[in-house]
Amino acid sequence: MKTIIRSTLGTLGLGLALGVSAGPVEDQAAFQKYYENKFPNTPVMDFQNGVYSILPEAREQWEAIEEFPPYEIAIENGEKLYHSKFANGKSLADCFGPEGAVRGQYPFWDKDRGMVITMERAVNECREANGEKPYGWKKGKIADVTAYMSFNSRGQEIKVDIPSDDPRALAAYEEGKEQFYTKRGQLNFACADCHMLTAGNLYRADTTSPAFGHATSWPVFRSKWQSMGTLHRRFAGCHTNIRANPYKAQGTEYSNLEYFVTYMSNGLEFNGPAARK
Amino acid sequence: MFKGLTVGLVAVAMSMGASAGASNVSSSKLIKEATAAYKQVSKDTGYQWTVSVKALKAAQAAFDKGKYTDAEAHARAAMDLIEATRLQAKIEADTWKMRVPK
Amino acid sequence: MSSIRIKAKERKGSVDVKTLMKHNMETGLRKNKDGSKIPEHWITDVTAESGGKTVFAAAFNTSISKDPYLAFAFAGKKGDTLKISWKDNTGKTDSAETVVK
Amino acid sequence: MDRRSILKAAGTISAAAAALAAFPRAVFAAYSEKAFKNPKVEDSLNELFGGNATTPSGDVKLKAPDIAENGAVVPIEVSTSLKADKIAFMVKENPNPLAIVADIPAGTEAMVKTRVRMGKTTQVTAVVSSNGKLYTASKEVKVTIGGCGG
């Protein structure tokens, strides 16, 4: 009798946990399953190739661009910047090692400071700690340096952690999640509307990419920009498209959104930099 | 949940047409009200629509040129967009949870 | 640093060449923020030499994409030197050399 | 114009002349204003090849997308099994259709890949010059504008 009661309670407890407040682990499983069901022909690891994982015609052109990708110039610039000495004789290599192959460590939750640390932020904080001016957040040198670092980090597994011993980390994740699913702007779109519920549909002339794999390949050379840009540059562009004022690059909103979106892609590999349309 | 927003948007379209007896004083007041509403909604919701900003700027630009009728039309449009933003935020406060896959 | 990146690799007596040239390739149709036209500025000629002879040459219009990409293949072998040069409509030139892998 | 500016202008010219001299091109067709800044395909062909009679040929292979991802960067590839000495590529709806002419010396494969711009949906044509005749392959490339990404 005792055992029956206990197991009933146990089941109830589990039911409550799933129904009322699913945690990040359950969120992630459901998220990834959603895309696997929606695009059964796409091998799971291929989602890291963005819209090209679901569009064969566009993929051919992308592969032709990748034969000699435009971001190679950024990687070379980034390599020079990475190793060039600060006024104090140090360089970024003193912060991130000889090749900067640290992409897999970002973004992470910094318990001491109670905030999400992205790779871009870490680069600029290294510069500031050494008495240098920070780079801009969206394009130019920040994109070149992170292109070099990401290139040297290709193949690193995405394994964003939400430390269970710090409720603020979960709160940041939840904020990012709310941001992803909440409609914004005059056009009344949520990230999830285009990149989840109707991912792969045409919006005028463009097919929207699956959000599973969104955070893997940055920085990106976009043909539309004709230059490199960071993930937060793209976030801002998306918000402007739906006629919502963008948030500040590297502000809490976008950093938490990056935290959520990258966590959703756990298990894929970092494969940036990349070329996109 | 879409209805409220649609009403808001239709109201915007309608308010563009209506405006009579606009003056320096009345349009200045309207622009001030719209700007105050903009700031309040920004504070409450944490975001704004790009079109609201544009409408406010257009209102100020028209006012500066002495085109008070246009200024009032733009200010009213801005006000309606700002209200629609508030409505969107209100609807979304809970609705977003429905989009999370289980 | 040269504006030209070259990848040259031999495969059964044929050298596959891929090259990317950093150049804005201004069409003359784009405008500055103040509305003034950005003058056209583009690479007009590209030449590839190996073993003292020209193995490939091309002339471009402004319709070739920014940072032009070219790929071609010529008879050669590992260890050969390949030199690629470009010239633009303002008379500016650049060149780069690589050894075939 | 004062003396200083005259000297300066002269200096610019001689630098440009030096640059021209340094650029290796003897026997090969160089960029020509008449061929490239020309809205008419026929005129460009005349200028390049001394004639504009073309024959469609299955031996000319043209690889271009059906729908361009981005009109500013459209990857194309032209190749042929014919013995070619020149390959040209035209984008019909561009203000000046001729995009590129490539010289194919003996020993070089009759193949060229590049990326071109096209402003709108257009027919594109590869022209191969072989034994004094012109062979072509054409297809339509759709260029779409607008949307979130484009």
Side-chain angles (χ1 to χ4, degrees):
Chain A
M1 189 65 199
K2 230 178 185 176
T3 33
I4 292 173
I5 289 171
R6 189 182 288 162
S7 74
T8 312
L9 282 174
T11 314
L12 274 174
L14 191 66
L16 281 173
L18 280 177
V20 175
S21 64
V25 175
E26 292 80 14
D27 282 353
Q28 187 194 85
F31 185 94
Q32 298 191 355
K33 195 82 206 145
Y34 180 90
Y35 289 97
E36 286 165 31
N37 290 339
K38 195 174 176 80
F39 304 106
N41 296 325
T42 299
V44 173
M45 291 306 284
D46 203 38
F47 279 108
Q48 64 202 31
N49 292 319
V51 76
Y52 307 116
S53 64
I54 58 167
L55 272 189
E57 156 88 13
R59 190 187 186 101
E60 262 188 50
Q61 293 173 63
W62 172 63
E63 284 172 350
I65 300 278
E66 287 278 341
E67 274 184 16
F68 209 132
Y71 56 72
E72 288 205 5
I73 295 169
I75 294 173
E76 281 183 34
N77 286 345
E79 181 172 11
K80 275 206 300 185
L81 292 169
Y82 187 83
H83 295 286
S84 66
K85 298 269 182 258
F86 301 142
N88 67 5
K90 293 191 174 182
S91 71
L92 287 170
D94 289 294
C95 293
F96 305 104
E99 291 184 313
V102 296
R103 187 66 190 89
Q105 300 171 20
Y106 298 93
F108 73 90
W109 177 257
D110 185 328
K111 279 185 210 168
D112 295 334
R113 300 162 66 191
M115 66 189 289
V116 171
I117 307 295
T118 64
M119 188 162 77
E120 290 84 356
R121 176 176 289 282
V123 165
N124 268 345
E125 288 185 348
C126 169
R127 287 180 58 80
E128 287 180 298
N130 285 286
E132 299 290 317
K133 275 190 188 162
Y135 296 139
W137 289 124
K138 287 185 177 174
K139 56 185 175 181
K141 288 176 179 168
I142 192 75
D144 289 354
V145 162
T146 53
Y148 170 71
M149 295 168 76
S150 296
F151 184 71
N152 290 337
S153 312
R154 275 188 178 179
Q156 290 179 359
E157 191 188 339
I158 301 177
K159 37 183 180 189
V160 177
D161 183 38
I162 298 165
S164 51
D165 57 353
D166 189 344
R168 294 172 304 168
L170 183 63
Y173 164 88
E174 287 292 338
E175 266 182 50
K177 177 176 160 185
E178 181 174 350
Q179 190 67 250
F180 183 83
Y181 289 106
T182 303
K183 285 178 187 289
R184 288 283 187 251
Q186 192 188 27
L187 299 190
N188 207 31
F189 281 131
C191 305
D193 284 332
C194 294
H195 297 288
M196 183 166 216
L197 304 172
T198 63
N201 285 20
L202 268 179
Y203 282 81
R204 293 176 68 198
D206 288 321
T207 304
T208 51
S209 53
F212 182 29
H214 256 178
T216 62
S217 55
W218 297 85
V220 153
F221 185 98
R222 269 188 101 206
S223 300
K224 183 193 175 185
W225 294 335
Q226 288 290 300
S227 72
M228 300 290 297
T230 60
L231 178 58
H232 291 204
R233 182 181 181 189
R234 189 69 190 94
F235 282 161
C238 247
H239 266 140
T240 310
N241 280 339
I242 60 164
R243 298 185 191 159
N245 280 356
Y247 296 107
K248 283 206 178 77
Q250 298 297 325
T252 319
E253 294 88 354
Y254 282 164
S255 295
N256 290 347
L257 180 59
E258 177 175 346
Y259 194 44
F260 168 77
V261 173
T262 316
Y263 182 83
M264 286 297 109
S265 290
N266 270 3
L268 299 181
E269 289 172 353
F270 282 110
N271 62 345
R276 292 289 184 267
K277 75 173 281 187
Chain B
M1 62 169 156
F2 285 100
K3 258 184 194 160
L5 207 58
T6 316
V7 170
L9 296 176
V10 170
V12 171
M14 281 167 57
S15 69
M16 293 293 281
S19 174
S23 72
N24 185 336
V25 178
S26 63
S27 54
S28 164
K29 184 166 166 272
L30 261 179
I31 291 174
K32 269 190 194 136
E33 280 171 16
T35 309
Y38 177 80
K39 284 184 184 154
Q40 189 58 47
V41 170
S42 287
K43 214 173 133 192
D44 296 346
T45 66
Y47 75 100
Q48 274 291 358
W49 293 0
T50 54
V51 281
S52 313
V53 187
K54 279 185 189 161
L56 273 179
K57 278 187 183 160
Q60 189 59 48
F63 180 83
D64 291 344
K65 281 184 199 153
K67 294 182 173 172
Y68 302 123
T69 310
D70 288 356
E72 290 197 4
H74 285 302
R76 283 204 187 84
M79 196 78 105
D80 289 335
L81 290 165
I82 291 159
E83 278 313 307
T85 308
R86 188 201 294 282
L87 189 61
Q88 182 184 51
K90 198 175 156 194
I91 294 165
E92 287 299 306
D94 281 314
T95 327
W96 71 267
K97 291 174 190 150
M98 289 167 34
R99 298 186 193 103
V100 183
K102 297 261 158 37
Chain C
M1 188 165 41
S2 171
S3 65
I4 306 172
R5 273 78 174 162
I6 311 170
K7 294 178 188 174
K9 206 172 177 185
E10 188 211 322
R11 187 171 39 87
K12 293 176 189 164
S14 176
V15 179
D16 278 333
V17 183
K18 292 169 186 168
T19 179
L20 195 73
M21 292 155 269
K22 191 168 167 48
H23 198 288
N24 268 348
M25 298 296 283
E26 283 298 342
T27 57
L29 303 170
R30 291 201 316 143
K31 284 179 181 166
N32 282 311
K33 273 187 184 149
D34 64 8
S36 62
K37 273 194 177 173
I38 303 173
E40 55 182 11
H41 183 203
W42 82 104
I43 292 178
T44 55
D45 295 274
V46 179
T47 302
E49 295 166 287
S50 183
K53 60 177 192 146
T54 302
V55 293
F56 184 86
F60 287 171
N61 209 337
T62 48
S63 51
I64 297 297
S65 302
K66 183 187 169 184
D67 298 337
Y69 169 73
L70 262 185
F72 56 92
F74 69 96
K77 59 183 189 307
K78 196 177 162 177
D80 286 356
T81 316
L82 175 72
K83 181 184 178 188
I84 294 182
S85 324
W86 60 251
K87 181 185 85 179
D88 71 20
N89 66 316
T90 65
K92 201 182 156 218
T93 70
D94 197 7
S95 66
E97 262 186 31
T98 189
V99 175
V100 175
K101 282 180 184 160
Chain D
M1 192 187 272
D2 64 22
R3 197 177 121 79
R4 187 175 288 176
S5 60
I6 291 170
L7 280 177
K8 205 172 160 194
T12 315
I13 289 164
S14 64
L20 283 173
F23 189 76
R25 185 181 286 277
V27 284
F28 294 95
Y31 171 84
S32 112
E33 194 85 6
K34 272 189 182 167
F36 281 88
K37 296 289 180 225
N38 202 318
K40 289 181 87 172
V41 170
E42 294 75 15
D43 294 352
S44 293
L45 289 176
N46 259 333
E47 194 61 35
L48 290 175
F49 304 108
N52 59 26
T54 60
T55 317
S57 164
D59 293 327
V60 178
K61 298 273 180 267
L62 166 59
K63 213 171 142 187
D66 296 330
I67 303 170
E69 263 231 289
N70 185 313
V73 198
V74 185
I76 59 137
E77 177 178 350
V78 182
S79 62
T80 178
S81 53
L82 300 166
K83 199 186 154 358
D85 49 74
K86 274 189 174 61
I87 294 174
F89 182 78
M90 311 274 191
V91 182
K92 196 177 173 196
E93 300 293 333
N94 278 359
N96 298 308
L98 179 60
I100 178 174
V101 181
D103 286 300
I104 311 292
T108 293
E109 268 182 45
M111 181 276 285
V112 61
K113 286 192 214 183
T114 189
R115 299 166 188 161
V116 301
R117 296 171 165 137
M118 32 194 89
K120 55 181 164 185
T121 297
T122 178
Q123 190 190 49
V124 295
T125 302
V127 183
V128 167
S129 145
S130 173
N131 291 320
K133 284 191 173 149
L134 300 179
Y135 301 93
T136 60
S138 298
K139 76 170 285 183
E140 190 185 67
V141 176
K142 284 199 169 64
V143 178
T144 53
I145 293 166
C148 305

